[in-house]
Amino acid sequence: MIPPKPKARADKVSLWRYLKLFREDILSAQPARLYRAWMAEFKTPFFRSYLCNDPELVRQVLKERPDDFPKSDRIGAGLRPLLGNSVFLTNGETWKRQRRIIDPAFEGGRLRDTYPAMWEAGEAAVARLSAHADGTPIEIEAETSHAAADVIFRTLFSIPIEHATASAVFSEFKAHQRSQPILNLAAFIRGPKWMPRFFSAETKRTAGVIRKLIGDLTTERLAAIEAGTAPDDLATKIMTTTDPETGDQFDVDEMIDQVAIFFLAGHETSASALAWTLYLMATNPEWQARVAVEAGELSSDFSSVSRLKLSRDVFREALRLYPPVPMMVRETTCPETFRGRDVKTGSQIVLSPWHLHRHERIWERPDEFDPTRWGTENGKQCQRDSYIPFSAGSRVCTGAGFAMVEGPMLLSLILRNFIIEPDENREPVPVVHLTVRSSQGIWLRLRKRG
Ligand code: HEM
């Protein structure tokens, strides 16, 4: 059975039709040829954009010359009221300094310190789901969002999502998202440089509320660090890290920017990935049963996660089929020649995990769910060259290691406790909201595993 894939549009459509489709959904606005093309050029009145599927080009842009392909200002513009100058949006020296301060907190060894908080969030998620384990369909994206937001607050600030400030951030964030979809049309279809950018009053209001709430947590934390009473969580780790090159630390304002992105990038993506993984498990009962058996290995001890091999392969396959961040955009800063074609300065370079991960000339049976592929020659080669759910190179996701512990752990814990089945009447349709979601949610039936 082929898991849900959006219908592609006709090969040739007018620009206006394209814009209309794009506004409805970025994925189904694209033609099927993008699953076979090495590169595709899009002409708009203001600029050219190039979607690159050639692994060699992807390597050049992300790994070999990332400084020559910075993030485009316009893509981030929609996020600026909420994220300020966060590491997700900055470029050049500012970005490098921010990564030097943030990265140590996420290093492999330190994930061990973070694990107990993740584990507690997992147990809380199982307790919440137990209340729905009577076979009535539930919308699982809402549950995975709740769980992933809980993981972020517990690991960053040692507070559960039920904490008054954490839950206020979570609910304001939902309102913010409704007012300002992040991968919006205006961001992609850039206008001339002088064109002003407007935000709705609601976008500004919700961003302001979220930043104030995060500001309170950060100020409190700074006081606790100074008093020597702060818990050793991610916030403390980041706020006490000194940049080895300049010797400075984040001040409260800079930290607010970073916490905002950890919350956003850390919970939306993980929630999307886990929801699709659970759907794939519901529709592949034999895999579900195998992961549930393996989950017996899992405990509150960090080292047990390394034994979740099947769970990791399944999660990795879900990230291939439904990469939460489906497209990334960079800008050229000098004239380039890509596959023999001249690419002007200021062109948009689109890297699409969505298309690369399902490329018909790269992957064997690209649209099939098959977690065993990671053990095959083709799978191994693809994993090296054509698999970028966390991006790659120096700008790779800060939380990649974190997410690869969190995802398989939550998946295993849930399957150890519940048998899940799809709701046959509601097959999910992938669309891009902030991340790859289902247009009408993902509906599953849960029953207690005996
Ligand atoms: C399954 C889960 C996740 C996926 C698929 C994912 C994916 C990505 C991708 C593709 C990017 C690059 C975006 C771009 O270059 O335009 C990124 C960046 C980032 N992610 Fe993640 N992410 C996940 C979880 C997390 C978590 C848990 C955190 C933090 C706790 C996090 C923090 C960040 C940050 C801070 C950046 C910006 C890095 C930079 O630009 O230097 N992510 N993520």
Side-chain angles (χ1 to χ4, degrees):
M1 193 201 78
I2 302 286
K5 180 178 179 182
K7 281 200 186 70
R9 68 150 161 94
D11 225 12
K12 285 210 166 8
V13 292
S14 71
L15 176 64
W16 296 117
R17 171 95 186 117
Y18 181 51
L19 295 188
K20 186 174 174 297
L21 290 168
F22 200 109
R23 198 188 295 271
E24 283 158 19
D25 171 44
I26 298 172
L27 295 179
S28 52
Q30 312 304 336
R33 70 184 156 86
L34 295 190
Y35 294 109
R36 291 186 300 275
W38 295 121
M39 183 162 109
E41 182 175 349
F42 297 88
K43 294 178 189 165
T44 77
F46 302 116
F47 71 105
R48 299 264 162 111
S49 91
Y50 298 83
L51 183 137
C52 298
N53 276 335
D54 178 345
E56 187 43 49
L57 283 181
V58 176
R59 183 165 37 239
Q60 216 186 110
V61 172
L62 293 179
K63 291 191 183 162
E64 280 161 22
R65 298 169 47 213
D67 290 350
D68 294 338
F69 301 99
K71 280 201 168 179
S72 143
D73 265 2
R74 290 172 185 82
I75 298 303
L79 295 166
R80 204 143 320 256
L82 178 65
L83 301 184
N85 244 346
S86 97
V87 64
F88 194 80
L89 299 180
T90 52
N91 281 310
E93 281 313 309
T94 311
W95 169 77
K96 285 187 182 154
R97 172 179 163 274
Q98 290 172 338
R99 288 287 301 230
R100 286 196 297 269
I101 298 180
I102 291 167
D103 284 359
F106 287 92
E107 271 164 14
R110 288 179 129 187
L111 278 176
R112 177 182 293 278
D113 301 345
T114 305
Y115 183 71
M118 271 186 198
W119 173 261
E120 281 165 20
E123 287 194 317
V126 167
R128 271 192 311 273
L129 289 173
S130 296
H132 302 288
D134 58 1
T136 318
I138 58 164
E139 202 289 294
I140 207 73
E141 284 182 330
E143 300 296 328
T144 59
S145 287
H146 196 137
D150 196 22
V151 167
I152 287 294
F153 273 105
R154 286 177 192 262
T155 54
L156 257 181
F157 282 111
S158 305
I159 52 177
I161 192 73
E162 288 74 25
H163 179 283
T165 312
S167 72
V169 171
F170 188 40
S171 67
E172 284 294 332
F173 180 76
K174 287 184 206 156
H176 182 79
Q177 224 175 314
R178 280 193 295 276
S179 78
Q180 173 71 33
I182 282 179
L183 265 179
N184 64 358
L185 184 68
F188 259 73
I189 309 302
R190 70 175 222 201
K193 269 210 177 2
W194 45 262
M195 195 165 85
R197 184 163 287 282
F198 299 105
F199 298 105
S200 74
E202 181 63 359
T203 300
K204 287 196 215 148
R205 187 195 69 76
T206 46
V209 174
I210 296 171
R211 290 181 62 86
K212 164 83 178 58
L213 291 164
I214 293 177
D216 293 346
L217 287 175
T218 310
T219 314
E220 267 170 42
R221 176 52 57 90
L222 197 60
I225 291 171
E226 279 161 8
T229 54
D232 181 25
D233 50 22
L234 286 176
T236 300
K237 282 185 170 51
I238 294 168
M239 289 172 78
T240 54
T241 299
T242 304
D243 174 7
E245 288 189 20
T246 61
D248 60 1
Q249 296 182 341
F250 283 147
D251 60 26
V252 167
D253 280 347
E254 286 174 299
M255 188 61 190
I256 295 175
D257 293 345
Q258 312 312 333
V259 172
I261 188 59
F262 294 149
F263 178 67
L264 176 75
H267 102 276
E268 268 290 323
T269 47
S270 295
S272 150
L274 184 59
W276 283 107
T277 314
L278 290 171
Y279 174 76
L280 289 166
M281 291 293 86
T283 46
N284 289 275
E286 56 315 327
W287 273 100
Q288 181 182 160
R290 291 179 65 192
V291 173
V293 169
E294 181 192 72
E297 298 280 331
L298 182 64
S299 71
S300 59
D301 174 9
F302 179 61
S303 62
S304 69
V305 178
S306 65
R307 293 194 288 276
L308 303 179
K309 188 183 171 318
L310 296 177
S311 184
R312 233 178 348 263
D313 283 350
V314 162
F315 191 67
R316 195 171 279 141
E317 180 71 341
L319 287 176
R320 182 183 72 82
L321 287 168
Y322 302 102
V325 180
M327 290 181 203
M328 299 176 271
V329 186
R330 301 291 189 264
E331 205 165 86
T332 52
T333 52
C334 58
E336 303 282 349
T337 307
F338 279 2
R339 296 186 60 84
R341 243 186 277 179
D342 288 335
V343 174
K344 286 195 188 131
T345 306
S347 300
Q348 309 273 88
I349 304 300
V350 181
L351 304 166
S352 172
W354 182 274
H355 292 97
L356 188 62
H357 291 180
R358 291 173 179 260
H359 202 279
E360 292 162 12
R361 287 146 89 175
I362 299 180
W363 298 84
E364 283 167 6
R365 299 165 287 104
D367 293 330
E368 280 177 35
F369 171 75
D370 177 11
T372 65
R373 73 169 71 245
W374 306 113
T376 67
E377 268 320 300
N378 176 256
K380 285 182 195 161
Q381 163 104 33
C382 289
Q383 194 177 352
R384 278 193 300 272
D385 300 338
S386 313
Y387 182 68
I388 50 167
F390 297 106
S391 184
S394 54
R395 222 166 171 158
V396 69
C397 170
T398 328
F402 180 104
M404 285 307 295
V405 171
E406 176 194 10
M409 184 273 271
L410 290 177
L411 172 65
S412 297
L413 207 52
I414 292 173
L415 293 186
R416 183 158 91 185
N417 285 279
F418 306 103
I419 297 171
I420 54 179
E421 289 164 7
D423 177 355
E424 268 77 19
N425 302 319
R426 284 186 272 209
E427 175 166 292
V429 179
V431 288
V432 178
H433 287 157
L434 172 56
T435 49
V436 173
R437 294 299 178 110
S438 162
S439 63
Q440 305 298 322
I442 296 180
W443 293 82
L444 302 177
R445 297 174 201 280
L446 269 64
R447 289 198 179 77
K448 288 228 162 73
R449 197 174 283 278

